[in-house]
């Protein structure tokens, strides 16, 4: 029973890579050499790496002090402030890019309210800033968890030996943060490599932008396929690099006794500076997009097409809902197979299930186009193909909550039911499945929110007449219709904020009965 859905998942995630290779090999040998060794590829590679470096640097500079302040200092209201630092996840990169673009110009936010204007923020620094302000919560969450789980005994021992605070941080604390930093850098790096919306609005030429222009403008599908494979190779290199730098590192405590919480550091006169820094980050990452959106909505207040916004919101929800349900339903057998069975087949399915999420969205979409045109023309630009692409791409997000819950539940209760004569399937359905309901819903919600914000798959695979909120924001911003794009961008933020709030409330409800038990 578990093998069939697991095989479907494995084949579905392999499909994009297979069709990209098939389409790329259409090139003649002479054309192949010219495509692979084209000097423009080096430019795209250099620009992509520079963008990743800029985003990781800015995001880490923001996230690391925040994580320390909200775990190790004596600041008040840490929980509320931590929530505030997660909210920027509700503002997609392309909406952040929209906000930065909307600052400047004759009708821009700065000129209208403060009487001056700045040069338009475009290119590497514009794209880097937009993506960093959207992705820094990923690094913050990882570092916050690392600080909270860290045993302070080593730092206290180093301090008792006369080491300075900076020396302790550099030689004791930072090495223990290394796994969290690398894991979050990988997540952010993969997102930046595959991002399309922010870099297209900022007009910065990287691999994903070049793939889209080759596909939609130059109609050179073979070169687009090769660029997609190069982008995929860059993703694989990032995954291998992450494994290489974290291999053979041990950070678990080995002493006896239990770890205790670190004693809060008294900030004293630096408290106001810390609060000002946190307020500045919140203002730029949340306040700025909302203020710029309000400014442009004020300009277009008379001509806001509310019915169009409602139609786009309904279309987005009608696609995201079935994707979330299917992904959660498929994730359950995959997790059961990989957690409760060992061997090469479950291990391969586990890796393949994550392959779809690791594949850059634009390369994934292009592969789906090749697949539908060559193998199933009736699927081209259909809702079924779009849903299939979303499920395959975001299935990995639903695996995490279900896997964690299944590991925590264990098999003792189920074994007890089976020893009382209950058949295995019925024992699972009565004992385990009810406890997996919450994690499955949480995984489905995660998938739902990603579909609402997603742009490249919708842009290339959307059926004729289908318009999602993200497509409307992108198309109107590209055409300079900032006032018309504002209500759609605001709807995405509201949608995403509600779902993030729902996840936090849901998780809170999930943990409460466990504490009572």
């Amino acid at each position: 029973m578990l093998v069939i859905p697991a095989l479907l998942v494995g084949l579905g995630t392999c499909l994009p890579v297979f069709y990209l290779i098939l389409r790329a090999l259409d090139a003649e040998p002479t054309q192949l050499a010219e495509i692979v060794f084209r000097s423009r590829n080096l430019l795209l590679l250099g620009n992509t790496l520079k963008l990743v470096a800029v985003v990781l640097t800015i995001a880490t500079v923001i996230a690391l002090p925040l994580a320390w302040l909200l775990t190790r200092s004596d600041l008040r209201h840490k929980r509320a402030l931590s929530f505030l630092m997660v909210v920027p996840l509700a503002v997609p990169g392309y909406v952040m890019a929209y906000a930065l673009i909307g600052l400047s110009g004759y009708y821009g936010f700065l000129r209208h309210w403060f009487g001056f204007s700045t040069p338009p923020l475009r290119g590497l620094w514009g794209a880097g800033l937009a993506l960093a302000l959207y992705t820094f919560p990923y690094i913050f969450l990882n570092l916050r968890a690392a600080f909270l789980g860290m045993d302070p005994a080593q730092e206290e021992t180093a301090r008792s030996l006369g080491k300075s605070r900076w020396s302790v941080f550099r030689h004791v604390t930072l090495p223990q943060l290394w796994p969290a930093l690398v894991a979050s850098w990988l997540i952010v790096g993969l997102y930046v490599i595959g991002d399309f919306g922010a870099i297209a609005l900022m007009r910065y030429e990287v691999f994903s932008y070049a793939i889209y222009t080759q596909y939609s403008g130059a109609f050179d599908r073979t070169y687009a396929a090769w660029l997609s494979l190069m982008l995929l190779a860059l993703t694989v290199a990032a995954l291998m690099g992450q494994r290489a730098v974290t291999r053979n590192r041990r950070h678990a405590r080995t002493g006896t006794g239990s770890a205790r919480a670190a004693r809060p550091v008294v900030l004293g006169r630096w408290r106001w500076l810390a609060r000002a820094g946190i307020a500045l980050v919140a203002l730029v990452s949340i306040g700025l997009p909302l203020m710029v959106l309000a400014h442009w909505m004020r300009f277009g207040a008379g001509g806001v097409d509310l019915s169009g916004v409602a139609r786009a919101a309904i279309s987005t929800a009608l696609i995201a809902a079935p994707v979330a349900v299917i992904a959660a339903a498929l994730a359950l057998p995959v997790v059961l197979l990989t957690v409760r069975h060992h061997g090469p087949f479950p291990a391969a399915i586990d890796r393949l299930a994550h392959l779809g999420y690791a594949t850059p969205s634009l390369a994934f979409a292009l592969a789906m186009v090749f697949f539908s045109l060559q193998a199933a023309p009736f699927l081209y630009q259909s809702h079924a193909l779009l849903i299939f692409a979303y499920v395959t791409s975001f299935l990995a997000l639903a695996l995490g909550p279900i896997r964690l819950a299944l590991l925590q539940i264990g098999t003792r209760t189920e074994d007890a039911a089976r020893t009382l004569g209950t058949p295995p399937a019925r024992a699972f359905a009565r004992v385990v499945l009810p406890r997996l309901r919450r994690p499955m819903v949480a995984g489905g919600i995660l998938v739902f929110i990603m579909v609402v914000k997603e742009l490249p798959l919708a842009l290339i695979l959307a059926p004729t007449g289908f318009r999602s909120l993200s497509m409307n924001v992108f198309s109107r911003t590209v055409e300079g219709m900032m006032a018309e794009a504002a209500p759609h961008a605001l709807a995405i933020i509201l949608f995403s904020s509600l779902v993030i709030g729902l996840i936090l409330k849901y998780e809170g409800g999930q943990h409460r009965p466990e504490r009572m038990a």
Side-chain angles (χ1 to χ4, degrees):
M1 286 178 65
L2 301 180
V3 173
I4 295 175
L7 274 176
L8 286 176
V9 169
L11 290 174
T13 52
C14 285
L15 205 59
V17 182
F18 175 73
Y19 270 92
L20 278 178
I21 294 173
L22 205 65
R23 188 68 177 86
L25 292 179
D26 278 352
E28 298 292 332
T30 52
Q31 187 191 7
L32 185 64
E34 190 272 330
I35 287 175
V36 173
F37 298 106
R38 198 174 285 183
S39 59
R40 185 164 177 260
N41 298 340
L42 281 178
L43 173 73
L44 296 174
L45 177 63
N47 284 353
T48 304
L49 294 178
K50 277 193 285 188
L51 181 63
V52 171
V54 166
V55 172
L56 290 183
T57 304
I58 297 175
T60 306
V61 167
I62 296 173
L64 182 57
L66 283 176
W68 185 87
L69 283 170
L70 297 179
T71 54
R72 291 297 187 86
S73 74
D74 63 341
L75 278 180
R76 292 181 179 177
H77 313 300
K78 290 179 187 171
R79 190 169 181 177
L81 292 174
S82 296
F83 173 75
L84 199 62
M85 293 300 103
V86 181
V87 172
L89 286 176
V91 185
Y94 52 86
V95 174
M96 195 64 79
Y98 164 93
L100 293 176
I101 294 170
L103 276 177
S104 56
Y106 187 78
Y107 294 104
F109 176 80
L110 289 176
R111 185 178 183 86
H112 183 83
W113 294 100
F114 299 101
F116 71 93
S117 185
T118 56
L121 196 57
R122 302 272 188 179
L124 172 64
W125 292 104
L129 189 58
L131 290 172
L133 289 174
Y134 169 57
T135 55
F136 84 83
Y138 291 109
I139 301 178
F140 166 75
L141 286 172
N142 273 282
L143 290 176
R144 180 175 177 272
F147 273 120
L148 289 174
M150 199 181 294
D151 187 350
Q154 293 184 43
E155 295 167 287
E156 291 170 0
T157 305
R159 288 283 292 161
S160 67
L161 293 173
K163 299 291 182 183
S164 65
R165 285 191 184 279
W166 169 244
S167 178
V168 171
F169 179 79
R170 186 180 169 191
H171 297 290
V172 179
T173 310
L174 201 54
Q176 296 186 71
L177 294 177
W178 184 244
L181 272 174
V182 174
S184 52
W185 283 344
L186 179 69
I187 294 171
V188 174
L190 291 180
Y191 180 83
V192 173
I193 288 172
D195 180 73
F196 169 71
I199 56 102
L201 292 178
M202 289 296 180
R203 297 177 188 172
Y204 186 61
E205 202 171 8
V206 293
F207 271 117
S208 53
Y209 187 59
I211 292 169
Y212 184 73
T213 53
Q214 289 299 319
Y215 170 77
S216 61
F219 298 104
D220 188 348
R221 307 291 168 87
T222 304
Y223 186 40
W226 274 104
L227 287 175
S228 300
L229 286 176
M230 291 176 195
L231 192 61
L232 198 56
L234 199 58
T235 303
V236 173
L239 291 169
M240 292 175 68
Q242 188 259 351
R243 285 195 173 195
V245 298
T246 55
R247 187 179 297 163
N248 298 327
R249 283 175 175 264
R250 295 183 179 179
H251 301 276
R253 68 194 306 275
T254 55
T256 58
S258 58
R260 55 183 172 73
R263 190 179 303 162
V265 175
V266 179
L267 293 177
R269 59 179 179 173
W270 297 102
R271 183 176 292 111
W272 293 106
L273 186 61
R275 286 177 179 168
I278 294 171
L280 180 65
V281 172
L283 178 68
V284 174
S285 60
I286 308 166
L288 175 66
L290 291 177
M291 285 190 292
V292 174
L293 284 173
H295 164 72
W296 284 105
M297 285 187 72
R298 182 173 169 272
F299 262 110
V304 174
D305 181 12
L306 289 178
S307 62
V309 177
R311 279 197 304 274
I314 292 171
S315 298
T316 306
L318 287 178
I319 282 288
V323 170
V325 172
I326 296 171
L330 279 176
L332 179 60
V334 171
V335 171
L336 279 172
L337 180 72
T338 55
V339 169
R340 294 194 170 180
H341 301 272
H342 302 284
F345 179 69
I349 291 297
D350 189 38
R351 290 189 177 91
L352 287 176
H354 289 85
L355 178 65
Y357 188 65
T359 305
S361 297
L362 214 54
F364 200 105
L366 203 58
M368 287 294 101
V369 170
F370 296 149
F371 161 70
S372 59
L373 289 177
Q374 292 184 9
F378 63 91
L379 284 176
Y380 180 65
Q381 289 193 327
S382 66
H383 285 87
L385 186 66
L386 185 60
I387 289 174
F388 172 78
Y390 276 141
V391 169
T392 316
S393 192
F394 297 132
L395 176 71
L397 294 174
L399 297 177
I402 301 174
R403 184 192 302 275
L404 180 62
L406 198 62
L407 289 171
Q408 290 173 339
I409 292 170
T411 58
R412 293 176 60 185
T413 319
E414 194 179 352
D415 290 342
R418 291 169 68 174
T419 57
L420 294 173
T422 309
R426 188 177 296 176
F428 176 81
R430 288 185 174 179
V431 176
V432 181
L433 198 56
R435 299 176 68 182
L436 290 178
R437 209 172 291 155
R438 282 181 179 275
M440 286 180 71
V441 173
I445 291 173
L446 277 175
V447 174
F448 185 92
I449 193 172
M450 287 303 292
V451 175
V452 168
K453 295 190 296 182
E454 202 280 336
L455 176 63
L457 288 171
L459 214 54
I460 292 185
L461 298 177
T464 305
F466 174 84
R467 302 295 295 178
S468 69
L469 289 168
S470 60
M471 291 168 70
N472 284 341
V473 173
F474 180 77
S475 60
R476 284 162 172 75
T477 307
V478 166
E479 294 169 8
M481 301 163 66
M482 305 297 285
E484 289 79 0
H488 297 270
L490 187 62
I492 290 177
I493 294 176
L494 291 177
F495 235 133
S496 305
S497 301
L498 285 174
V499 178
I500 287 176
L502 193 61
I503 291 175
L504 294 175
K505 183 181 178 183
Y506 209 79
E507 286 185 341
Q510 182 181 1
H511 293 305
R512 208 168 293 128
E514 291 175 5
R515 285 200 296 270
M516 290 170 68

